[in-house]
Amino acid sequence: MHDTHTGAGAGTDTHTGTGTGTTMRAISPAAWGGPEVLREVTLARPVPGPTEILVRVHAAGVNPIDWKTRATGGFGMHGEPPVLGYDVSGVVEAVGPGVTVHRPGDEVFGMPEFPRQAGGYAEYVTGPARHFVPKPPALSHVEAAALPLAGLTAWQSLVETAGLAPGRRVLVHAAAGGVGHLAVQIAAARGAYVIGTAREEKHALLKELGADELIDYTRQDFTAVLGDRAVDVVLDSIGGDYGHRSLRVLRDGGTLVTLPSPDEVPVPEETAPRGIRTGFTLVEPDSTGMRALASLVAEGRLRPVVETVLPLERAADAHRLGETGRTRGKIVLTVVDV
């Protein structure tokens, strides 16, 4: 179900409007700060270089890294002017020299360049051709735009880093969030026993997505519910003390994957004596992982939940909503009317 939230959208500078044949609309922060710094600008349409493609963006996913970058400048790997957004779904407009995997007219989706600027909050993006894969026919552009960054984060964390195997017990914190709800489905598809933490009102959805056991973190301490050394893998997308507390429920030799910050990874003195593997995971562009996600979609075992869809010019509203931390699944901006 797609909700529409009202309120002030992105600001507008003196050069806004629908792009011409050589220009495009985009969303750029006037300075690093709150959502109010976002404004619509007109920029030169990018041109694909060797091994790159130009994509006409139909929809752009919104992720926590977007509002963190808007607030502070993030990794500092942005352009001038900076354009936010990493998740895109759209149609190939043109290809650069040497590209053989895509042709104009192909529907594609991807997470190009991360953590360098991709510029997804715009009418057009360029990026390495192999950072994009064919859009699954079962997904709309809105749904496809919700998948790349969060889906690859979950896939790389659980499958490639943790080596999740059938029968393993996995604990997913913030299970109804952007990464969490996809991690639940990926873990279930791998044959794992899936435990999630989420508010009670989100439990029904998570059961539908494949969770076996759910804990309402507002009422229960997950360490008390699960007990000592009860799980094989923990995916922590919350941070704070969650990683340290999760060590209690991890078995010896288990894996703790931390997403929010490398500063929140438990120190080796806590983990080495028990053989626990832990570390900060930063998602990477990966066509193999993207194709794996697309295969799960085609098999009916993975679907992104999109709670809110807003037009590109309301990016500020999307950030305000995302920063509440209360959304289920993903928020997506539409660039082409759908």
Side-chain angles (χ1 to χ4, degrees), residues 232-318:
D232 301 284
V233 176
V234 175
L235 180 60
D236 172 26
S237 61
I238 299 177
D241 68 344
Y242 267 74
H244 295 274
R245 292 168 60 206
S246 294
L247 293 179
R248 176 179 169 185
V249 302
L250 263 175
R251 68 169 178 82
D252 293 351
T255 302
L256 167 64
V257 180
T258 300
L259 301 179
S261 168
D263 297 330
E264 294 169 337
V265 177
V267 296
E269 288 78 4
E270 297 178 80
T271 58
R274 296 178 52 200
I276 292 174
R277 297 173 57 228
T278 186
F280 170 65
T281 297
L282 186 64
V283 66
E284 303 173 60
D286 173 18
S287 61
T288 300
M290 287 290 295
R291 291 179 186 277
L293 296 175
S295 293
L296 289 177
V297 170
E299 295 164 6
R301 297 195 288 175
L302 179 67
R303 66 179 179 92
V305 173
V306 180
E307 183 175 65
T308 304
V309 179
L310 295 169
L312 179 65
E313 60 269 20
R314 292 185 60 192
D317 286 333

Side-chain angles (χ1 to χ4, degrees), residues 5 50 59 88 90 130 133 144 150 156 159 195 211 241 255 275 296:
H5 295 257
V88 298
R130 294 179 186 272
V133 301
Q156 292 171 6
V159 178
I195 306 163
D241 68 344
T255 302
L296 289 177

Side-chain angles (χ1 to χ4, degrees), residues 86-105:
Y86 291 100
D87 283 340
V88 298
S89 182
V91 177
V92 178
E93 183 86 0
V95 301
V99 174
T100 59
V101 293
H102 301 299
R103 295 182 296 179

Side-chain angles (χ1 to χ4, degrees), residues 134-252:
K135 181 183 75 66
L139 296 183
S140 66
H141 282 294
V142 166
E143 293 168 321
L147 187 53
L149 192 149
L152 279 177
T153 298
W155 178 267
Q156 292 171 6
S157 297
L158 294 178
V159 178
E160 298 178 359
T161 300
L164 190 62
R168 296 290 179 89
R169 293 169 61 87
V170 58
L171 171 62
V172 179
H173 289 304
V179 172
H181 86 285
L182 297 171
V184 165
Q185 295 175 76
I186 290 169
R190 303 287 291 184
Y193 182 89
V194 186
I195 306 163
T197 62
R199 291 176 177 271
E200 186 175 9
E201 59 264 29
K202 301 174 182 179
H203 287 191
L205 170 65
L206 290 169
K207 282 287 188 181
E208 291 178 13
L209 298 180
D212 297 290
E213 184 177 346
L214 293 160
I215 300 169
D216 182 353
Y217 66 89
T218 67
R219 300 178 181 179
Q220 301 168 294
D221 179 348
F222 71 89
T223 63
V225 174
L226 295 177
D228 293 347
R229 307 187 184 191
V231 300
D232 301 284
V233 176
V234 175
L235 180 60
D236 172 26
S237 61
I238 299 177
D241 68 344
Y242 267 74
H244 295 274
R245 292 168 60 206
S246 294
L247 293 179
R248 176 179 169 185
V249 302
L250 263 175
R251 68 169 178 82
D252 293 351

